[in-house]
């Protein structure tokens, strides 16, 4: 078994990697998240992948590690493992990934996973739970449903322009979901270049001629699935019920090409009690969960300068003294 670092872009259609992704999809695994897929095509500075082959050269695991845009180093990763190799190759991949980060400044590392074996390994290695996201489902109302009440925020309407053209002052004030809050101008530009982007799937709420909220839907191609991609409201103009009105209005007016009913999906932080309560009232139900584990990787460069060996997460330091 051999794990190695691969810098630069990753071709997800390359036969070995494509075969691994196809096998995972057949097993019900969603594969890499959108952020990791976008980074594989257009890597951020410092991002990398870890490939793990078996003795016959078949790809059995792939990890993608991406830096966050922050003054100090921060990283996020996902690890894909062939079903036949689960709970066998993860330590090898993590060791290679740790060493890479040690030599590049270290920093907090977040590991997103929905795999029970990976969760057990993370807990046993000293990682702590940072966040838990739940994926919720809901059958969209049919064409005969009742439109959402608009309340005091009029009108709610589909947007035909790119979302990046909103005025900077409004963009800064919009309070977004956790995922949307990490999206900067460069990320937004990349998303508007994807094949799923459709400006007509953005519903805007306006008050006194200024935007006070939005709901952005993402349609998954060739399916009836529509994802509630992001919801945001301006806290300076916020009144109770605006988020609910935006969401129900957007889903009511969403149509799949054949005219049937769509299946809505969204992710919500389980610690966000008001949002969880809202989605439950709207008829959403939990389908799956994904957990983010976090650990701090030391700066190995500082340790080398001081003549001290680096300490990897989950490994005990050797100490000298009586009985040791």
């Amino acid at each position: 078994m051999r794990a190695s670092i691969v810098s630069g872009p990753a071709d997800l259609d390359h036969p070995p990697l494509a075969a691994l992704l196809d096998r995972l999809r057949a097993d019900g695994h969603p594969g890499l998240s959108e952020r990791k897929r976008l980074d594989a095509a257009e890597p951020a500075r410092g991002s990398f992948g870890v490939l793990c082959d078996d003795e016959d050269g078949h790809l059995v695991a792939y990890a993608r590690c991406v830096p966050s845009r922050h003054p100090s180093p921060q990283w996020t990763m996902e690890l894909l493992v062939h079903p036949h190799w689960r709970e066998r190759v993860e330590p090898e991949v993590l060791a290679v990934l740790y060493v890479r980060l040690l030599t590049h400044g270290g920093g907090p590392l977040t590991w997103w996973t929905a795999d029970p074996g990976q969760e057990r390994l993370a807990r046993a290695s000293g990682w702590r739970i940072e966040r838990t996201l739940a994926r919720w489902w809901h059958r969209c109302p049919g064409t005969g449903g009742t439109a959402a009440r608009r309340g005091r925020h009029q009108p709610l309407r589909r947007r035909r322009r790119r979302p990046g053209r909103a005025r900077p002052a409004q963009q800064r004030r919009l309070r977004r979901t956790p995922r949307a809050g990490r999206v900067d101008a460069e990320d937004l530009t990349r998303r508007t270049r994807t094949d799923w982007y459709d400006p007509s799937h953005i519903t805007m709420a306006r008050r006194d001629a200024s935007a006070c909220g939005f709901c952005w839907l993402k349609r998954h191609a060739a399916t009836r699935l529509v994802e509630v991609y992001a919801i945001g409201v301006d806290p300076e103009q916020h009144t109770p019920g605006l988020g609910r009105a935006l969401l129900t209005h957007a889903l009511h007016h969403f149509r799949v090409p054949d005219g049937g009913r769509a299946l809505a999906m969204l992710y919500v932080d389980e610690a966000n009690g008001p949002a969880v309560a809202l989605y439950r009232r709207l008829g959403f139900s939990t389908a799956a969960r994904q957990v983010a584990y976090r650990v701090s990787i030391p700066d190995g460069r500082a340790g080398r300068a001081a003549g001290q060996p680096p300490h990897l997460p989950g490994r005990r330091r050797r100490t000298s003294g009586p009985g040791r």
Side-chain angles (χ1 to χ4, degrees):
M1 190 165 49
R2 178 188 60 188
S4 58
I5 296 289
V6 178
S7 299
D11 183 3
L12 301 184
D13 293 325
H14 187 58
L17 187 50
L20 174 61
L21 295 173
D22 288 342
R23 181 62 179 84
L24 289 171
R25 278 192 289 269
D27 199 48
H29 192 287
L32 290 174
S33 67
E34 180 182 61
R35 184 183 181 194
K36 304 303 186 299
R37 292 196 303 270
L38 289 173
D39 184 82
E42 299 179 31
R45 183 177 181 182
S47 66
F48 61 94
V50 180
L51 299 173
C52 186
D53 301 324
D54 65 7
E55 292 83 355
D56 298 322
H58 300 117
L59 185 65
V60 298
Y62 178 73
R64 189 77 193 172
C65 190
V66 179
S68 299
R69 293 179 177 86
H70 195 273
S72 60
Q74 294 191 27
W75 307 83
T76 178
M77 62 160 283
E78 293 173 29
L79 174 55
L80 307 179
V81 181
H82 191 285
H84 295 165
W85 287 85
R86 286 175 185 158
E87 300 190 57
R88 297 166 60 188
V89 301
E90 291 88 342
E92 182 79 14
V93 175
L94 288 179
V96 172
L97 189 144
Y98 286 159
V99 171
R100 169 77 173 204
L101 296 184
L102 280 166
T103 59
H104 285 72
L109 171 62
T110 299
W111 180 4
W112 282 101
T113 181
D115 181 84
Q118 293 186 18
E119 289 196 56
R120 286 191 292 270
L121 176 60
R123 291 193 296 267
S125 302
W127 297 59
R128 63 176 178 82
I129 294 180
E130 180 184 16
R131 293 176 62 201
T132 300
L133 286 184
R135 186 170 74 233
W136 292 55
W137 302 97
H138 173 58
R139 183 70 61 182
C140 290
T143 55
T146 302
R149 291 185 302 170
R150 294 180 180 179
R152 296 188 301 172
H153 295 275
Q154 304 252 0
L156 297 178
R157 64 185 184 187
R158 299 295 179 89
R159 188 183 181 103
R160 295 292 175 179
R161 296 179 297 159
R162 290 182 180 269
R165 294 184 181 178
R167 287 181 291 179
Q170 292 177 350
Q171 287 182 328
R172 287 193 296 270
R173 291 202 310 267
L174 285 177
R175 180 175 57 203
R176 299 174 175 88
T177 58
R179 177 176 63 181
R182 292 194 298 268
V183 175
D184 60 17
E186 182 180 344
D187 291 324
L188 189 60
T189 299
R190 290 200 294 181
R191 282 162 171 77
T192 58
R193 291 202 302 261
T194 59
D195 55 3
W196 60 261
Y197 172 71
D198 185 341
S200 69
H201 293 163
I202 300 174
T203 299
M204 299 293 298
R206 294 187 175 276
R207 186 179 187 185
D208 299 330
S210 65
C212 59
F214 73 93
C215 180
W216 186 359
L217 301 182
K218 170 186 175 181
R219 179 174 178 265
H220 290 242
T223 70
R224 292 179 177 271
L225 184 62
V226 57
E227 180 179 347
V228 182
Y229 197 66
I231 301 176
V233 297
D234 186 340
E236 295 182 8
Q237 302 189 59
H238 179 58
T239 56
L242 176 57
R244 175 177 181 145
L246 280 162
L247 177 57
T248 54
H249 182 92
L251 292 180
H252 172 79
H253 289 88
F254 181 84
R255 296 289 179 268
V256 293
D258 62 6
R261 297 174 65 188
L263 181 65
M265 176 190 75
L266 58 81
Y267 290 90
V268 60
D269 193 321
E270 290 192 339
N272 188 344
V276 169
L278 168 63
Y279 299 139
R280 186 175 286 117
R281 288 195 301 269
L282 291 176
F284 284 83
S285 58
T286 304
R289 286 179 172 83
Q290 191 175 31
V291 183
Y293 287 88
R294 190 176 180 92
V295 75
S296 181
I297 305 294
D299 187 348
R301 300 170 302 180
R304 281 202 310 272
Q308 297 293 329
H311 175 58
L312 297 180
R315 297 188 179 184
R316 296 182 178 179
R317 292 182 186 271
R318 289 186 175 272
T319 59
S320 58
R324 300 283 179 160

